[in-house]
Amino acid sequence: MTLQLWTHCRAATLQPGAAQAYGLIDDAALVSDGETLAWVGPRADLPAALRARCSVQHDAGGALITPGLIDCHTHLVYGGDRANEFELRLNGASYEEIARAGGGIVSTVQATRAATAAQLTEQAQPRLARLMAEGVTTIEIKSGYGLALEHERKALSVARALGRGNPVTVRTTFLGAHATPPEFAGRSDDYLDEVLRMLPLLQAEGLVDAVDAFCERIGFSTAQTERVFRAARDLGLPVKLHAEQLSDSGGAQLAARYGALSCDHLEWLSAAGARAMAAAGTVAVLLPGAFYFLRETKLPPVALLREHQVPIAIATDSNPGSSPCTSLLLMLNMACTLFRLTPEEALAGVTRHAAAALGLPDRGVLAAGLRADFVLWGVARPAELSYAIGANPRIQTVFKGQIV
Ligand code: DI6
Ligand code: FE
């Protein structure tokens, strides 16, 4: 394997428990061995014998190096968009009028069903490219706009194909329990029967890495969510949950009982919910884009999460209805400005903690033995990544030891 060396850089390693904030190393050296980091530390400590074996040496030009960014919650694959609905609303139309005219989530389900896999790929690829342009090296993509076997399969297959066609790692999540489709209107339990029929079939096709549900008054109840979780557990699949976005339904406690990787949104999370998540090691994924776009006012209980030491991740929630967003760097800024996270918490939220939210212990931190996924940035200090609005200081991304 080729050993490669990067020097003339600062590294924000995000090592847990490091003495320096961000696990910062001022004059750092990184050595990759094939797809893996072989050594990370102060350049002065780099063993001469190891340096001598590095056949490729890179001058990082004074860049800041961070782990590759991880967007751990997206609905990136969908048909059409909802710009028209956005415009109608700003011209005074009510949500109900729009829904009656075929708008809302149902319109995205219709557009997703009507699109071919090739069309969905063509629409999702530029969104993925924009995220990658900002240093994203791993992304989660949920289904949930097909809501029928053939269309959930199509969306998940498109997500998998995006992973094959791009250097980024794609993790897929089955969100069949996102909404009740029109043909099951008023019969959500019957639709859930259908969801439970789809899950093992899609898993057998290798399309499912995790299972999610929208647990909300306008989504599915905790009892219904538990049916989905039981099925996932029987199949050995990890679970996640859209929980306490619009109300406190106790979804977080339920998810914690099933050892959920993450609970996401969480604006209405209770103290009991936070305690349950802490005990289960469940990550809190905060989604400032949806909070902003829906003009929510109830802030997620960040102090409570800190008090109980629940790891906090940040993601785009990229979707056409509540967060038409393809900038994870903007989410860093919004996590700080809207939710008052520190820039260090925000950066951990798109690296180390985002990796945990996906159950991927092999990334999210710069350390020997982990994946050589990292980004070179033209900034002096890590806080600049959260501070700037609309800037993209990325210089270069290294995916599994390869400069792309
Ligand atoms: N929560 C949301 O905010 C989105 N999905 C979810 O589970 C909304 C999806 C949409 O409006 O298309
Ligand atoms: Fe979401």
Side-chain angles (χ1 to χ4, degrees):
M1 272 298 173
T2 313
L3 293 187
Q4 300 185 72
L5 170 67
W6 278 264
T7 53
H8 193 191
C9 57
R10 302 181 92 194
T13 65
L14 278 299
Q15 282 269 21
Q20 293 286 332
Y22 301 95
L24 201 64
I25 302 169
D26 263 325
D27 182 4
L30 281 77
V31 177
S32 69
D33 183 357
E35 301 185 350
T36 308
L37 287 166
W39 196 90
V40 177
R43 187 172 56 91
D45 296 349
L46 178 65
L50 181 60
R51 173 185 269 272
R53 286 174 51 221
C54 292
S55 49
V56 184
Q57 308 208 355
H58 305 273
D59 180 336
L64 174 77
I65 299 187
T66 70
L69 305 192
I70 299 172
D71 193 353
C72 67
H73 179 144
T74 86
H75 310 248
L76 202 77
V77 175
Y78 56 84
D81 66 66
R82 308 246 283 276
N84 184 46
E85 181 182 319
F86 179 68
E87 185 161 24
L88 285 172
R89 259 202 257 184
L90 285 164
N91 280 294
S94 74
Y95 189 78
E96 225 176 287
E97 286 166 333
I98 291 165
R100 258 187 273 120
I105 187 164
V106 172
S107 73
T108 300
V109 172
Q110 275 156 357
T112 303
R113 288 178 174 181
T116 63
Q119 289 167 333
L120 289 178
T121 305
E122 199 177 299
Q123 291 167 40
Q125 176 63 42
R127 295 193 278 265
L128 180 57
R130 287 197 284 277
L131 289 165
M132 286 170 53
E134 289 190 347
V136 169
T137 53
T138 297
I139 181 175
E140 184 247 25
I141 300 178
K142 301 174 194 294
S143 67
Y145 288 116
L147 308 184
L149 179 60
E150 85 178 276
H151 300 295
E152 290 288 290
R153 175 189 285 133
K154 178 176 64 182
L156 290 167
S157 303
V158 166
R160 279 278 187 258
L162 288 169
R164 285 191 297 272
N166 292 275
V168 71
T169 301
V170 172
R171 299 294 286 180
T172 56
T173 298
F174 174 61
L175 179 56
H178 188 198
T180 300
E183 64 274 18
F184 282 92
R187 298 186 294 126
S188 62
D189 281 316
D190 293 345
Y191 174 62
L192 270 186
D193 292 342
E194 189 54 26
V195 168
L196 299 191
R197 197 177 70 81
M198 290 183 225
L199 177 55
L201 297 173
L202 296 170
Q203 184 198 24
E205 294 172 33
L207 293 173
V208 181
D209 296 323
V211 176
D212 193 351
F214 186 29
C215 183
E216 195 56 66
R217 286 188 300 236
I218 59 165
F220 295 91
S221 68
T222 46
Q224 291 175 320
T225 300
E226 186 157 13
R227 287 183 65 198
V228 177
F229 282 180
R230 243 185 268 125
R233 188 171 62 188
D234 291 348
L235 293 167
L237 286 166
V239 300
K240 315 168 73 70
L241 190 64
H242 282 70
E244 342 295 24
Q245 179 185 7
L246 307 169
S247 60
D248 177 16
S249 59
Q253 290 95 312
L254 171 67
R257 273 203 279 122
Y258 282 81
L261 290 173
S262 71
C263 289
D264 304 39
H265 286 292
L266 296 176
E267 281 81 349
W268 293 79
L269 180 70
S270 66
R275 271 196 301 275
M277 287 175 66
T282 299
V283 176
V285 179
L286 304 185
L287 303 166
F291 176 89
Y292 164 82
F293 197 74
L294 297 177
R295 308 183 78 241
E296 287 177 42
T297 51
K298 175 87 171 159
L299 286 161
V302 170
L304 192 63
L305 295 171
R306 286 179 181 139
E307 180 192 328
H308 293 286
Q309 295 180 297
V310 177
I312 299 173
I314 305 294
T316 61
D317 196 15
S318 188
N319 79 70
S322 67
S323 188
C325 168
T326 50
S327 172
L328 194 53
L329 290 177
L330 180 58
M331 296 303 99
L332 285 185
N333 177 268
M334 286 190 182
C336 297
T337 54
L338 299 175
F339 296 167
R340 311 307 289 163
L341 260 60
T342 67
E344 186 179 1
E345 287 174 322
L347 190 57
V350 295
T351 54
R352 187 171 82 235
H353 294 159
L358 295 179
L360 296 174
D362 66 340
R363 66 196 74 188
V365 172
L366 298 176
L370 301 193
R371 273 166 66 114
D373 282 353
F374 53 87
V375 185
L376 279 63
W377 306 95
V379 300
R381 59 191 105 245
E384 289 176 56
L385 299 176
S386 297
Y387 157 78
I389 302 172
N392 182 5
R394 186 189 68 106
I395 297 167
Q396 195 169 69
T397 304
V398 177
F399 293 87
K400 291 200 285 182
Q402 288 199 19
I403 298 167
V404 178

